[in-house]
Amino acid sequence: MTAVRWMVMVAAVALVAGCAEQHVQVVPVTMNGGGTAPRPVGAAGTPEKVMLTRTVPVGQERELNFYQGLHEDCAPIPGITVQILTAPAHGTASVRDGTDYPTFPAGNPRSACNKKAMPAQQLWYQPAPGYTGADVLEVQVFYPMGTAQRQTYTINVQGAAPSQPIAP
């Protein structure tokens, strides 16, 4: 038996015998628009993919969402990473470090954190000049506890396109 297999077997026996502890921490992540994100992937009942819809005015850059991890004392939990998987076809998307006000519901131990802007990863979208219609963006969100969630945004770019001056 190889040394690696032996170590794995000893660790498994120790866990079963109660000689080792495994700690799991689930941390709610605030999402723009209220409430908290679904439980991390791997938790019972958590979707691995989420479909979201946002509306953006023609010619204006807008924040689509933000992601935060906070302890009950409002101290930030670092480690949330947002990666753009599929860029929008009719605009540009970017991920930025910033701050946003959490939106924990009343009764949540973290609801006191809603009073102050906290560090966040922000997802921004800028439509192409004059574009109106639908666009799609897909991101992967990696949470500090080692889980991930794929999010697909359908973006509706609405409003009148800025008028172009008529050439003489």
Side-chain angles (χ1 to χ4, degrees), residues 63 66-68 96-100 118-122:
E63 182 180 352
F66 67 88
Y67 309 87
Q68 298 172 311
R96 304 175 192 165
D97 289 330
T99 60
D100 273 293
M118 303 299 292
Q121 285 287 297
Q122 301 171 322

Side-chain angles (χ1 to χ4, degrees), residues 3-88:
V4 173
R5 284 186 184 166
W6 177 253
M7 290 173 54
V8 170
M9 189 171 68
V10 169
V13 170
L15 278 172
V16 171
C19 298
E21 276 186 65
Q22 181 180 13
H23 295 278
V24 177
Q25 180 183 22
V26 177
V27 180
V29 176
T30 299
M31 294 179 68
N32 193 11
T36 56
R39 282 175 275 166
V41 175
T46 300
E48 291 184 21
K49 285 186 86 171
V50 175
M51 307 293 282
L52 301 158
T53 302
R54 298 289 188 261
T55 301
V56 174
V58 171
Q60 294 185 29
E61 182 180 48
R62 289 292 164 100
E63 182 180 352
L64 299 179
N65 213 340
F66 67 88
Y67 309 87
Q68 298 172 311
L70 300 173
H71 291 285
E72 287 186 15
D73 66 356
C74 302
I77 300 171
I80 294 177
T81 303
V82 181
Q83 178 183 20
I84 297 171
L85 298 177
T86 305

